[in-house]
Amino acid sequence: MSELLEEDQLKAWLNCERRKDLIRLLNRARIPYVVGIGGCIATSQGAIDGTLLKSVEAQDSISEWDNVRVGR
């Protein structure tokens, strides 16, 4: 089971102080999160890992086609 990461942990990890900045950074990284009671932000380590793995896989698939030439 994935560990739940709460807002204070996420702020420390992403080096931000405001909730608005935390949400912006999570959205930019496409990390899914939930907004709990009182507006507190939380996500799981599994959600972060899954997003990072998808990003690495996307980069690998792009680089395979970098040197391919189409046409004559």
Side-chain angles (χ1 to χ4, degrees):
M1 182 177 217
S2 291
E3 177 185 355
L4 183 64
L5 301 172
E6 296 178 356
E7 186 168 333
D8 290 336
Q9 295 169 297
L10 293 167
K11 285 179 179 177
W13 176 58
L14 292 169
N15 194 28
C16 61
E17 295 180 14
R18 300 181 308 173
R19 184 174 287 161
K20 178 180 177 179
D21 294 334
L22 175 60
I23 291 171
R24 182 176 46 82
L25 290 171
L26 291 171
N27 286 336
R28 184 184 300 162
R30 296 185 175 155
I31 296 172
Y33 60 90
V34 295
V35 180
I37 296 173
C40 293
I41 306 298
T43 191
S44 69
Q45 186 65 51
I48 293 170
D49 293 345
T51 300
L52 294 174
L53 287 173
K54 286 179 189 174
S55 176
V56 168
E57 290 171 0
Q59 288 298 326
D60 287 346
S61 67
I62 292 170
S63 63
E64 290 174 8
W65 292 98
D66 285 346
N67 296 322
V68 175
R69 294 183 184 211
V70 177
R72 299 176 193 202

